[in-house]
Amino acid sequence: MNHDISRSLFHKALALMPGGVNSPVRAFKSVGGEPFFAKRAEGAYLFDVDGNRYLDFSSQLMNVNLGHGHPTLVAAIQEAAGRLATIGPFHAN
């Protein structure tokens, strides 16, 4: 697997924040190696900026059930977003 672009991005990130990421877990220190930079996700897979494909074994709750970018879910979110003027807390006047 090629990781040249991810490696370059990680070294740039190290100059911007401690550990180069916002979580010690994502820094890979406990298992060795360096983090990859995800570019997109589809179904059970993640794709990094170097073109590598990974099976997402650590998917979050929603992705475990539906996968990344499920077309029905994406369409529902887009349709709902089109009806919303704002997203955030609502305040009574």
Side-chain angles (χ1 to χ4, degrees):
M1 293 181 109
N2 176 21
H3 294 107
D4 292 343
I5 298 172
S6 284
R7 185 174 296 111
S8 174
L9 291 171
F10 179 57
H11 288 284
K12 288 179 182 179
L14 285 169
L16 300 173
M17 67 179 85
V21 296
N22 65 352
S23 165
V25 173
R26 286 187 284 280
F28 282 58
K29 290 198 186 286
S30 64
V31 296
E34 295 177 341
F36 66 88
F37 282 68
K39 183 174 184 177
R40 66 184 184 90
E42 181 180 319
Y45 295 98
L46 299 171
F47 299 85
D48 71 13
V49 294
D50 293 289
N52 300 305
R53 183 178 81 160
Y54 305 85
L55 181 59
D56 188 359
F57 283 114
S58 64
S59 191
Q60 300 302 316
L61 180 61
M62 191 62 106
N63 302 357
V64 168
N65 296 321
L66 300 172
H68 294 282
H70 190 280
T72 303
L73 182 58
V74 170
I77 292 169
Q78 289 173 332
E79 191 271 329
R83 292 192 317 259
L84 299 173
T86 185
I87 298 174
F90 297 98
H91 302 282
N93 291 334

